[in-house]
Amino acid sequence: AGHLHILIDVDFIPAGDAVPKDATHIHLGTGAMTSTLVLEPGDHTLRVQFTDGAHVALDGDEYQDEIKVTVE
């Protein structure tokens, strides 16, 4: 089954590529729909990307979205 990933201040992963597992790519592989992030003060871009069960990015704009946030 697929799941979400939160990408912090990095670009979307191209379709067909696997999402790395590091501090800027948060895997929500348990099916979670929320997560707590600790970000440095300033402007950030948070991206959400849906992948298949093997963490491979799916093709299509409907599988990704982004927001900009400011942490004070």
Side-chain angles (χ1 to χ4, degrees):
H3 56 275
L4 295 172
H5 295 80
I6 300 172
L7 287 60
I8 303 169
D9 296 326
V10 295
D11 291 330
F12 288 113
I13 302 301
D17 289 354
V19 176
K21 191 169 190 176
D22 58 32
T24 60
H25 299 86
I26 309 301
H27 292 243
L28 301 178
T30 62
M33 297 299 292
T34 63
S35 183
T36 300
L37 301 176
V38 177
L39 302 171
E40 295 293 323
D43 296 329
H44 298 278
T45 302
L46 303 179
R47 293 182 170 91
V48 177
Q49 189 161 17
F50 195 77
T51 68
D52 66 13
H55 307 280
V56 174
L58 301 176
D59 189 23
D61 290 340
E62 66 271 27
Y63 298 116
Q64 57 191 36
D65 204 356
E66 74 177 39
I67 62 170
K68 302 215 183 265
V69 298
T70 300
V71 177
E72 296 185 3

